[in-house]
Amino acid sequence: MVESWSFLDTAESNFRPLVVIELAKGTKEETIEWFTKRIVDKKANGGAQLLIKPLVTENGVENIYLVGASHLRLLLGAETVGLVKECSDNSMRTFTYSSRKTFKHFADDNHNFLTMAECQYIIKHELENLRAKDEKMIPGYPQAKLYPGKSIVRRLLTSGILVQIFPLHDREELKKLCHSWYGRVKIGYQPLDDIRCYFGETIALYFGFLEYFTFALIPMAVIGIPYYMFAWEDYDKYVMFATFNLLWSTVILEVWKRICAILTYRWGTLLMKRQFEEPRPGFHGVLGINPVTGREEPVYSSIKRQLRIYLVSLPFVCLCLYFSLYVMMIYFDLEQWALDYHKENESNFSSLMLYVPSIIYAVVIEIMNRIYRYAAEFLTSWENHRLESSYQNHLILKVLVFNFLNCFASLFYIAFVLFDMKLLRQSLATLLITSQILNQFAESLLPYWLQKRYNRRMKKRMCSKKTDTDLSLAEQVNMEKEMGTYLGTFDDYLELFLQFGYVSLFSCVYPLAAVFAVLNNITEIYSDALKMCRVYKRPFAEPTANIGVWQLAFETMSVISVVTNCILIGMSPEVDALFPDSKMDLVLTVALVEHLLLAIKFIMAFVIPDKPRDIQMKLAKLEFESLEALKQQVRMQLHFLLIHH
Amino acid sequence: MVESWSFLDTAESNFRPLVVIELAKGTKEETIEWFTKRIVDKKANGGAQLLIKPLVTENGVENIYLVGASHLRLLLGAETVGLVKECSDNSMRTFTYSSRKTFKHFADDNHNFLTMAECQYIIKHELENLRAKDEKMIPGYPQAKLYPGKSIVRRLLTSGILVQIFPLHDREELKKLCHSWYGRVKIGYQPLDDIRCYFGETIALYFGFLEYFTFALIPMAVIGIPYYMFAWEDYDKYVMFATFNLLWSTVILEVWKRICAILTYRWGTLLMKRQFEEPRPGFHGVLGINPVTGREEPVYSSIKRQLRIYLVSLPFVCLCLYFSLYVMMIYFDLEQWALDYHKENESNFSSLMLYVPSIIYAVVIEIMNRIYRYAAEFLTSWENHRLESSYQNHLILKVLVFNFLNCFASLFYIAFVLFDMKLLRQSLATLLITSQILNQFAESLLPYWLQKRYNRRMKKRMCSKKTDTDLSLAEQVNMEKEMGTYLGTFDDYLELFLQFGYVSLFSCVYPLAAVFAVLNNITEIYSDALKMCRVYKRPFAEPTANIGVWQLAFETMSVISVVTNCILIGMSPEVDALFPDSKMDLVLTVALVEHLLLAIKFIMAFVIPDKPRDIQMKLAKLEFESLEALKQQVRMQLHFLLIHH
């Protein structure tokens, strides 16, 4: 069992800083001493058994600490968090320290067995699981209450003593990654495995989805181009295009599940057991006994939460939706007024006035989105969800519904109330292209400018100091701690979701949408990559097995688009002309086609397996092995019992 | 580890017969000797380590064997199959022999810890897992090939040497169960836990579903009665009734999932890990290596199977559906002809002639159903599915689609082609009541008569012999081996499924359907219970956690019923009168309402959790404990490693 492990690697000489802890200026000495002691203390004494070192800069100690861990400690941490790694026989297995020799690339002196992102994730996990024993409060801060089992780091964060914890960039690795990712203009796939090693699975999966989605849009774009070039206006062709689109969007969402399974199987997260979720930092309640863990922790009645959701949040969201529709109606009135004004007294001023309503509406929408986002965050936080995942789901749902309405309500109104297909096509094109240009500016040009400024600042510093390794580390930490924090993939997915809406909801009136989407996404990959590597602090890796609630959101959108496209085609004069005698027959035919398409969609989603056959096989093999192991155990037991009689 | 287990209980004196094996008459001695030796042989030598005893009747040995096992053997078998039992602290846990003391009601001398059904399930499992070692064939039968790892019992069955294996009834228990189940007229719940102990989870869950479904129909029936009594013909009321029905049917299907979770949690099957499935008996292929198990077994290309499904089975099913529709059209022609004939020459003969088409159609449908069932079984077997579950799913799908069309096509035709609501109501009532009377006869009166005959036969035998315990066992075995085999819950669920169709598809034209369904189901419970206890051989218990594909079938039916009911209401003259100016508005309103109802259905299905909160808690607690155990293990390891340095 005990191998030739050298515990010398816990010595300072081998210390590799992984995570930075920034404490508030003026934090009391006794608090710092207590906190650092808890971090380095032995597991058996309730510590985290990590290594910690204050960062020394030319101004002296600045309440910034670097955290690392010995190689052995990291390996045992990998077992605790349940990392899944590849074995020598190419199968994926949960890593355990005792079976470490069976894993691919494992060697006692190979410190690259765990990627840096994994090491940082382990340290984050260990820090967050550093729990109060019998302390009633944080030493030096009597108002920061503790109870047995409370996560110390979370209490330090909520009471403002701990400013932030973030993982350090690895300059060497980042340079390599940047080069292979966006450093050269090339046609080809992104280095997803490298991205995953550096940024973790959640971010790699977002880029994987972005890339997949772009490739999936190409067939639609290719079919869409001739419609624009030859100005095909006959509805036979539009019907064909829309039908292809509807089935295609089902297929791509199903195939994505399979590709996602392939990626996450390779990364080990498909097999990784879900960790037991801790209460989220903002969660509060009366101290009670958690019925699941049997530990003392804040408890909040689920009925109270349900009441808050259904009696406050739901009406508020409905009110906001109503208000958004009301604003839209005002916009249409204003537009009508501007048109009338332009007709009556035609002048340069009046033709300029034509654009005013659209600009006002765009600005108002942007303001409403932002205010609503704050309100949604406040409300969801007030609902007091125990788990971060539940908080996220409720927030995403609220924001999604509002954004959907804000983006598409005017288009729905034009299509199904005004029945104006020309205006619909024009508005769709304007909205799509404007939003893409704005996004490109906010995500690509702005970061580029920020990077330039950052480079200048860095160069200035580098010139004034000697380029010592130790000093450059202090510089690096000081620079990184000022960088913005990446708030997760939410906004990136939301952008893709709305884009998918523009492409699919009205695909039969504007086939060119897919072309713009493809063009946008190609630059989006580069600008998002730049953002991740240069603009933001390195985020902690988050293991994940799928894109979660977004899969559902995209699927819902594709169901809605079946309905809208069927109605649009039914409303077209060309289809109308096919049923000269009876409007009834037309509507009934459209309804029948719609139901058929929906039925085909659901059958397709049911028939296409969510995991490719070889992944299914590998999962079955793992299950079979664990069952066999159990049987073997019973067999041994039986043998043993019989021998002793 | 080794306790005061008395291995004397393996002696004949304690032998309790559980399962009967009947070999073909004239089976060679060497085969019998080899087979019985394998059954009693030690696990370490590849045997099943069970007890076996030939049944001695007055005619001598009849190639019938009784199989039992020692108490210890059964406990270890329970660990192998992964039984989940209740612990002393009321939580459900997977049984292991080493933790046996922590389980409720466990005592070394309590032989009732495992129910008889569980013991029989364990023995069946052990017998089926008796595998060939290096035998190339069954001794004495060179044509019955074996390969290492092949289940011996399955080969014996397919080569006809083994006639049947079935579990024995327990006369005492059965009498008690019959009494509490259907022996007295009472209002109250069925003794589901007792049924489960005696017949296993699959059958108990069927009866649980039947009972739940009956209770769930009562509100519909209660609301339906005044419609009949007061002959409410205004469509406002029908619309209300139909809307209630649609939402109610969604609610009951969602609530059933929760009740199912409560039942199967209590029975332990919700937590039971799925066993690794063996190839089904009829599966054949070229000997190859199974990529999952790494063992040698027949392998059959999945592409070939897909080709057979999509190129042969699918077209065949479509052809049958077309043929069934064709027959229906002939029936409507015949009916028209009979009506015309009756009008032209009105006589007694001609009014009798009016019934002829219906009778012919009913008979033809019955014949078609039977022929199709054979064809479906043949085709599905020819598709060569590796797993029994996959075979069952494909068979159920085939039979379900055909039965759905056969039962409802004529009603759809009357409703949506002939637009004849009067005729629809009449046909619906006729079909529903006729099918219920026929079923009641086939399931209740016939079994009752069979039981009477059986009782007479039994009494005759009892009088002619002395009532020795040993002899009565032989009598019991001889009687039971002649009883019919219960072929599973398929037909019972199918009957309920079609009934659900009658109640929900056209609920707005015939509200009384639910009343008939409730009345039918009350007697159905009694007749099915009688059938299980008296008519059939005792079936082997089958652990199951839900009603499987039937949940999906019922949900699909409830989606279809939203569409049909909306169309029916839209077609009614009263609703028509609300839109005097424009037919279009009517159709659009109906379509809108339908989409809204469908959306509400899906949202409801999404919002209502599938498991009640306390079951979720208990599952979370188990998961938490296993994670904690893992962490504890890592902590110990770390401690150990540090001490040794």
Side-chain angles (χ1 to χ4, degrees):
Chain A
M1 188 78 184
V2 183
E3 313 280 326
S4 61
W5 276 103
S6 163
F7 266 72
L8 282 175
D9 67 355
T10 61
E12 297 263 328
S13 64
N14 273 327
F15 180 80
R16 184 196 184 196
L18 288 167
V19 171
V20 178
I21 293 182
E22 185 184 359
L23 295 177
K25 290 223 165 72
T27 304
K28 291 181 186 155
E29 268 308 313
E30 68 173 310
T31 314
I32 297 175
E33 200 175 306
W34 167 79
F35 184 45
T36 50
K37 186 179 173 310
R38 289 299 303 268
I39 290 176
V40 296
D41 213 354
K42 284 182 181 164
K43 259 287 189 202
N45 302 339
Q49 214 160 347
L50 300 172
L51 308 173
I52 191 164
K53 203 178 139 182
L55 183 76
V56 184
T57 59
E58 74 262 37
N59 315 323
V61 180
E62 267 194 273
N63 276 352
I64 292 175
Y65 295 84
L66 302 171
V67 182
S70 70
H71 185 52
L72 172 62
R73 179 72 194 84
L74 288 172
L75 290 177
L76 288 161
E79 183 170 343
T80 313
V81 300
L83 281 195
V84 173
K85 303 285 279 180
E86 191 174 5
C87 280
S88 310
D89 62 346
N90 293 328
S91 66
M92 304 297 297
R93 268 161 231 275
T94 306
F95 178 79
T96 62
Y97 184 72
S98 53
S99 66
R100 64 192 181 281
K101 302 276 186 202
T102 61
F103 286 86
K104 213 172 191 171
H105 304 310
F106 185 90
D108 286 345
D109 55 350
N110 174 14
H111 287 203
N112 291 326
F113 175 68
L114 298 174
T115 67
M116 193 174 169
E118 281 167 345
C119 293
Q120 290 167 335
Y121 173 70
I122 291 164
I123 287 183
K124 179 193 170 214
H125 179 267
E126 293 296 337
L127 285 176
E128 285 192 339
N129 274 285
L130 196 59
R131 290 170 188 294
K133 288 180 298 184
D134 37 17
E135 297 98 334
K136 290 270 166 274
M137 46 156 217
I138 286 172
Y141 294 87
Q143 78 282 11
K145 296 265 185 301
L146 287 175
Y147 49 85
K150 172 73 190 173
S151 162
I152 291 172
V153 167
R154 295 205 166 190
R155 174 57 77 232
L156 286 170
L157 274 170
T158 48
S159 54
I161 303 166
L162 186 60
V163 178
Q164 60 179 346
I165 303 183
F166 63 90
L168 268 180
H169 268 300
D170 180 330
R171 295 279 138 193
E172 284 292 308
E173 283 294 316
L174 185 62
K175 209 171 157 186
K176 266 191 258 170
L177 178 65
C178 288
H179 183 68
S180 65
W181 197 359
Y182 66 90
R184 57 212 152 103
V185 176
K186 54 141 209 310
I187 305 296
Y189 299 108
Q190 298 172 86
L192 286 183
D193 289 332
D194 296 340
I195 299 171
R196 176 245 165 183
C197 283
Y198 197 84
F199 287 113
E201 289 79 14
T202 304
I203 288 166
L205 211 53
Y206 163 69
F207 282 100
F209 182 69
L210 177 57
E211 179 177 281
Y212 168 77
F213 188 61
T214 310
F215 276 108
L217 283 176
I218 287 177
M220 290 197 205
V222 167
I223 298 180
I225 288 172
Y227 283 83
Y228 176 73
M229 304 233 315
F230 306 126
W232 284 344
E233 287 288 323
D234 40 339
Y235 265 71
D236 296 6
K237 296 210 176 65
Y238 275 153
V239 170
M240 269 173 53
F241 182 73
T243 312
F244 169 76
N245 239 3
L246 297 178
L247 299 182
W248 183 241
S249 69
T250 311
V251 171
I252 61 175
L253 291 176
E254 286 302 308
V255 172
W256 165 249
K257 281 192 216 155
R258 296 164 67 93
I259 291 184
C260 184
I262 294 174
L263 285 175
T264 53
Y265 176 81
R266 196 165 70 207
W267 297 340
T269 47
L270 187 65
L271 290 168
M272 205 165 160
K273 292 236 166 51
R274 203 165 53 84
Q275 288 287 314
F276 186 79
E277 270 190 282
E278 293 296 317
R280 60 186 297 268
F283 178 69
H284 54 86
V286 187
L287 265 196
I289 303 292
N290 180 321
V292 173
T293 61
R295 290 181 189 155
E296 208 180 20
E297 69 165 44
V299 172
Y300 187 76
S301 144
S302 150
I303 295 162
K304 269 194 203 167
R305 186 178 307 125
Q306 298 287 331
L307 285 179
R308 286 183 175 192
I309 292 174
Y310 289 107
L311 296 186
V312 180
S313 295
L314 189 65
F316 175 79
V317 171
C318 291
L319 208 75
C320 286
L321 295 180
Y322 176 77
F323 183 73
S324 157
L325 287 178
Y326 193 76
V327 167
M328 185 194 74
M329 295 312 296
I330 293 177
Y331 156 67
F332 278 109
D333 283 350
L334 267 182
E335 186 128 301
Q336 194 56 47
W337 175 82
L339 263 175
D340 294 345
Y341 182 84
H342 178 65
K343 257 187 206 155
E344 279 168 30
N345 27 4
E346 221 162 307
S347 68
N348 274 346
F349 174 73
S350 75
S351 58
L352 212 72
M353 277 293 283
L354 276 178
Y355 291 98
V356 171
S358 298
I359 294 168
I360 294 179
Y361 186 53
V363 172
V364 169
I365 277 193
E366 195 54 38
I367 294 173
M368 286 202 303
N369 265 345
R370 273 169 202 277
I371 295 176
Y372 180 82
R373 182 70 171 269
Y374 281 112
E377 271 168 19
F378 173 80
L379 269 181
T380 317
S381 165
W382 177 74
E383 281 162 20
N384 202 11
H385 293 275
R386 190 177 162 270
L387 300 182
E388 184 65 27
S389 60
S390 156
Y391 170 86
Q392 286 294 340
N393 285 343
H394 278 84
L395 180 63
I396 289 180
L397 188 66
K398 284 195 190 74
V399 174
L400 218 59
V401 169
F402 191 74
N403 270 278
F404 180 84
L405 204 81
N406 257 350
C407 277
F408 300 118
S410 62
L411 296 176
F412 275 103
Y413 185 79
I414 294 170
F416 303 126
V417 180
L418 302 182
F419 296 116
D420 189 339
M421 290 304 118
K422 277 256 158 62
L423 185 60
L424 176 63
R425 199 172 304 170
Q426 196 185 312
S427 305
L428 187 61
T430 317
L431 269 174
L432 178 64
I433 295 167
T434 323
S435 76
Q436 289 191 347
I437 290 174
L438 279 178
N439 274 322
Q440 288 295 330
F441 174 77
E443 290 196 22
S444 176
L445 293 179
L446 205 67
Y448 185 73
W449 175 74
L450 283 169
Q451 196 205 350
K452 285 274 164 204
R453 207 183 61 163
Y454 163 93
N455 280 352
R456 268 203 306 278
R457 200 172 57 180
M458 195 163 100
K459 265 187 200 142
K460 219 159 57 185
R461 290 218 184 181
M462 294 294 269
C463 293
S464 63
K465 309 267 174 280
K466 57 182 191 286
T467 47
D468 192 309
T469 6
D470 207 52
L471 257 185
S472 92
L473 176 69
E475 270 187 353
Q476 185 191 340
V477 171
N478 272 318
M479 213 148 11
E480 285 183 18
K481 85 179 166 68
E482 300 302 329
M483 289 165 95
T485 306
Y486 180 65
L487 292 172
T489 49
F490 183 93
D491 288 296
D492 297 318
Y493 275 115
L494 183 63
E495 199 186 322
L496 277 186
F497 172 75
L498 295 177
Q499 185 190 66
F500 184 59
Y502 287 121
V503 172
S504 63
L505 282 181
F506 306 99
S507 61
C508 63
V509 292
Y510 192 55
L512 216 56
V515 179
F516 285 107
V518 169
L519 291 179
N520 176 67
N521 287 358
I522 290 171
T523 55
E524 177 89 21
I525 291 175
Y526 284 89
S527 62
D528 280 354
L530 193 74
K531 182 174 84 178
M532 288 311 308
C533 294
R534 294 287 174 201
V535 181
Y536 289 122
K537 269 188 208 93
R538 182 176 189 171
F540 276 109
E542 276 304 323
T544 185
N546 49 56
I547 61 171
V549 73
W550 291 105
Q551 181 81 36
L552 190 67
F554 276 78
E555 280 167 11
T556 309
M557 181 71 95
S558 91
V559 168
I560 296 174
S561 69
V562 171
V563 181
T564 52
N565 278 295
C566 284
I567 301 177
L568 281 178
I569 288 174
M571 276 172 11
S572 70
E574 285 83 354
V575 173
D576 220 23
L578 293 177
F579 297 88
D581 305 325
S582 158
K583 276 266 186 192
M584 273 293 278
D585 285 356
L586 165 70
V587 176
L588 291 177
T589 311
V590 169
L592 189 71
V593 169
E594 186 223 328
H595 282 86
L596 273 180
L597 280 174
L598 282 177
I600 292 173
K601 256 185 95 74
F602 282 109
I603 292 172
M604 266 165 67
F606 189 78
V607 167
I608 300 175
D610 285 359
K611 294 190 184 86
R613 211 179 143 70
D614 63 319
I615 302 279
Q616 280 176 26
M617 286 299 216
K618 282 170 183 163
L619 295 180
K621 195 170 177 178
L622 279 179
E623 205 188 318
F624 174 74
E625 276 170 12
S626 75
L627 283 170
E628 280 300 292
L630 180 71
K631 274 189 196 159
Q632 188 59 36
Q633 194 185 323
V634 175
R635 206 167 294 143
M636 301 267 287
Q637 219 170 0
L638 194 57
H639 192 66
F640 181 76
L641 280 167
L642 286 174
I643 283 174
H644 286 73
H645 273 89
Chain B
M1 188 75 186
V2 183
E3 314 280 325
S4 62
W5 274 104
S6 163
F7 266 71
L8 283 174
D9 68 355
T10 60
E12 297 262 329
S13 63
N14 272 327
F15 179 80
R16 184 195 184 197
L18 288 166
V19 171
V20 178
I21 293 181
E22 185 185 359
L23 296 178
K25 290 223 164 71
T27 304
K28 289 181 187 157
E29 267 310 311
E30 66 173 314
T31 314
I32 297 176
E33 200 174 309
W34 167 78
F35 184 44
T36 51
K37 185 176 175 313
R38 289 300 302 270
I39 289 176
V40 296
D41 214 354
K42 283 182 182 166
K43 260 285 187 200
N45 302 338
Q49 213 160 345
L50 300 173
L51 308 173
I52 191 163
K53 203 178 138 183
L55 181 78
V56 185
T57 58
E58 74 262 39
N59 315 324
V61 180
E62 266 193 275
N63 275 354
I64 293 175
Y65 295 84
L66 301 172
V67 181
S70 71
H71 185 52
L72 172 62
R73 180 71 194 83
L74 288 172
L75 289 176
L76 288 161
E79 183 169 344
T80 314
V81 300
L83 280 195
V84 173
K85 304 286 279 182
E86 191 174 5
C87 280
S88 309
D89 62 346
N90 293 328
S91 66
M92 304 296 298
R93 267 161 229 279
T94 306
F95 178 80
T96 61
Y97 184 71
S98 53
S99 66
R100 63 193 181 281
K101 301 276 186 202
T102 61
F103 285 86
K104 213 172 191 171
H105 305 308
F106 185 89
D108 284 346
D109 54 350
N110 174 14
H111 287 202
N112 291 325
F113 175 69
L114 298 174
T115 66
M116 193 174 168
E118 281 168 345
C119 293
Q120 289 167 337
Y121 173 69
I122 291 164
I123 287 183
K124 178 192 170 216
H125 180 267
E126 293 296 338
L127 285 176
E128 284 191 339
N129 275 285
L130 195 60
R131 290 169 189 292
K133 288 180 296 185
D134 35 17
E135 297 98 334
K136 290 270 167 275
M137 48 155 216
I138 286 172
Y141 293 88
Q143 79 283 10
K145 294 266 187 301
L146 287 176
Y147 48 86
K150 171 73 188 174
S151 164
I152 291 172
V153 166
R154 295 204 166 191
R155 173 57 77 233
L156 285 172
L157 273 171
T158 48
S159 55
I161 303 165
L162 187 59
V163 178
Q164 59 179 347
I165 302 184
F166 63 91
L168 266 181
H169 268 299
D170 179 332
R171 294 280 138 194
E172 285 290 309
E173 284 293 316
L174 186 62
K175 210 171 155 185
K176 269 191 255 171
L177 179 65
C178 288
H179 183 69
S180 65
W181 197 359
Y182 66 90
R184 57 213 151 100
V185 177
K186 53 142 211 305
I187 306 295
Y189 300 107
Q190 299 171 85
L192 285 182
D193 289 333
D194 297 340
I195 299 171
R196 176 245 164 184
C197 284
Y198 197 85
F199 287 113
E201 289 78 15
T202 304
I203 288 166
L205 211 54
Y206 163 69
F207 281 101
F209 182 69
L210 177 56
E211 179 177 280
Y212 169 78
F213 188 61
T214 310
F215 276 109
L217 283 176
I218 287 178
M220 290 197 202
V222 168
I223 298 179
I225 288 173
Y227 283 83
Y228 176 73
M229 304 233 316
F230 307 125
W232 284 344
E233 288 288 323
D234 40 338
Y235 265 70
D236 296 6
K237 297 208 176 66
Y238 275 154
V239 170
M240 271 174 52
F241 182 74
T243 313
F244 168 77
N245 239 4
L246 297 178
L247 299 182
W248 183 241
S249 70
T250 311
V251 171
I252 61 175
L253 290 176
E254 287 301 308
V255 172
W256 165 248
K257 279 191 216 155
R258 295 165 67 95
I259 291 185
C260 185
I262 294 174
L263 286 175
T264 52
Y265 176 81
R266 196 166 71 208
W267 297 342
T269 47
L270 187 64
L271 291 166
M272 204 165 159
K273 293 234 166 53
R274 203 165 53 85
Q275 289 286 315
F276 185 79
E277 270 190 281
E278 294 295 318
R280 62 185 296 270
F283 178 69
H284 54 86
V286 187
L287 264 196
I289 301 293
N290 180 322
V292 173
T293 60
R295 290 180 189 154
E296 207 181 20
E297 68 165 45
V299 172
Y300 187 77
S301 145
S302 150
I303 294 161
K304 268 195 203 167
R305 187 178 306 125
Q306 299 285 331
L307 285 180
R308 285 183 175 192
I309 292 175
Y310 289 107
L311 295 186
V312 180
S313 295
L314 189 65
F316 176 79
V317 171
C318 291
L319 208 75
C320 286
L321 295 180
Y322 177 77
F323 184 72
S324 156
L325 287 179
Y326 192 76
V327 167
M328 186 194 73
M329 296 311 296
I330 294 178
Y331 156 66
F332 278 109
D333 284 349
L334 267 182
E335 186 129 300
Q336 194 57 49
W337 175 83
L339 264 175
D340 293 345
Y341 182 82
H342 179 64
K343 256 186 206 154
E344 278 168 31
N345 28 2
E346 223 162 306
S347 67
N348 274 346
F349 174 74
S350 75
S351 59
L352 212 73
M353 278 292 284
L354 276 178
Y355 292 97
V356 171
S358 298
I359 294 169
I360 293 179
Y361 186 51
V363 171
V364 168
I365 277 192
E366 195 54 39
I367 293 172
M368 284 201 304
N369 265 345
R370 275 171 201 275
I371 295 176
Y372 180 81
R373 182 71 171 268
Y374 280 111
E377 270 168 21
F378 173 79
L379 269 182
T380 317
S381 163
W382 177 74
E383 280 161 22
N384 202 12
H385 293 275
R386 191 177 161 270
L387 301 180
E388 185 64 28
S389 60
S390 158
Y391 170 85
Q392 285 294 338
N393 285 344
H394 277 84
L395 181 62
I396 289 180
L397 187 66
K398 283 197 190 76
V399 175
L400 219 58
V401 169
F402 191 74
N403 270 278
F404 180 84
L405 204 81
N406 258 351
C407 278
F408 300 118
S410 63
L411 296 176
F412 276 103
Y413 186 78
I414 294 171
F416 305 126
V417 180
L418 302 182
F419 296 117
D420 188 340
M421 290 304 119
K422 277 254 157 63
L423 184 60
L424 175 62
R425 198 172 305 169
Q426 195 185 311
S427 305
L428 187 60
T430 316
L431 268 174
L432 178 65
I433 296 169
T434 322
S435 76
Q436 290 191 346
I437 290 175
L438 279 177
N439 274 322
Q440 287 296 330
F441 174 78
E443 290 197 22
S444 176
L445 293 179
L446 205 67
Y448 185 73
W449 175 74
L450 282 170
Q451 195 204 351
K452 284 274 163 204
R453 208 183 62 163
Y454 163 90
N455 280 352
R456 267 204 306 279
R457 200 172 57 180
M458 198 163 97
K459 267 187 199 140
K460 219 158 58 181
R461 289 218 185 181
M462 294 293 269
C463 292
S464 65
K465 308 266 174 283
K466 55 182 191 286
T467 47
D468 192 308
T469 5
D470 207 53
L471 259 184
S472 92
L473 176 69
E475 269 184 356
Q476 185 191 339
V477 171
N478 271 318
M479 214 146 14
E480 285 183 18
K481 85 181 167 66
E482 300 303 329
M483 288 164 97
T485 305
Y486 179 65
L487 293 171
T489 49
F490 183 92
D491 288 296
D492 297 318
Y493 276 115
L494 183 63
E495 199 186 322
L496 277 185
F497 172 75
L498 295 177
Q499 185 190 66
F500 184 60
Y502 287 122
V503 172
S504 64
L505 282 180
F506 306 100
S507 61
C508 63
V509 291
Y510 192 55
L512 216 57
V515 180
F516 284 109
V518 169
L519 291 178
N520 176 68
N521 286 359
I522 291 171
T523 54
E524 178 89 21
I525 290 175
Y526 285 89
S527 62
D528 280 354
L530 193 75
K531 182 174 82 178
M532 289 313 306
C533 295
R534 295 287 174 201
V535 182
Y536 289 122
K537 269 191 208 92
R538 184 176 188 170
F540 275 109
E542 275 304 325
T544 184
N546 49 55
I547 61 171
V549 73
W550 291 105
Q551 182 82 36
L552 189 68
F554 275 79
E555 281 167 10
T556 309
M557 180 71 95
S558 91
V559 168
I560 296 174
S561 69
V562 171
V563 181
T564 53
N565 278 294
C566 284
I567 301 177
L568 281 179
I569 289 173
M571 276 174 10
S572 70
E574 286 83 355
V575 174
D576 219 23
L578 293 177
F579 298 87
D581 304 325
S582 158
K583 276 268 188 193
M584 272 293 276
D585 285 356
L586 165 71
V587 176
L588 292 177
T589 312
V590 169
L592 190 70
V593 169
E594 187 224 327
H595 281 86
L596 273 181
L597 281 173
L598 282 177
I600 293 173
K601 258 184 93 74
F602 281 109
I603 292 171
M604 267 165 65
F606 189 76
V607 167
I608 300 176
D610 285 357
K611 293 191 185 87
R613 212 180 142 68
D614 63 317
I615 303 279
Q616 280 176 25
M617 287 298 217
K618 283 170 182 163
L619 295 180
K621 195 170 176 179
L622 278 180
E623 205 187 321
F624 174 75
E625 277 170 12
S626 76
L627 284 170
E628 280 302 290
L630 180 70
K631 274 187 197 159
Q632 188 58 35
Q633 192 185 323
V634 175
R635 207 167 293 144
M636 301 267 287
Q637 217 170 2
L638 196 54
H639 191 68
F640 183 75
L641 281 167
L642 286 174
I643 283 175
H644 286 73
H645 272 89

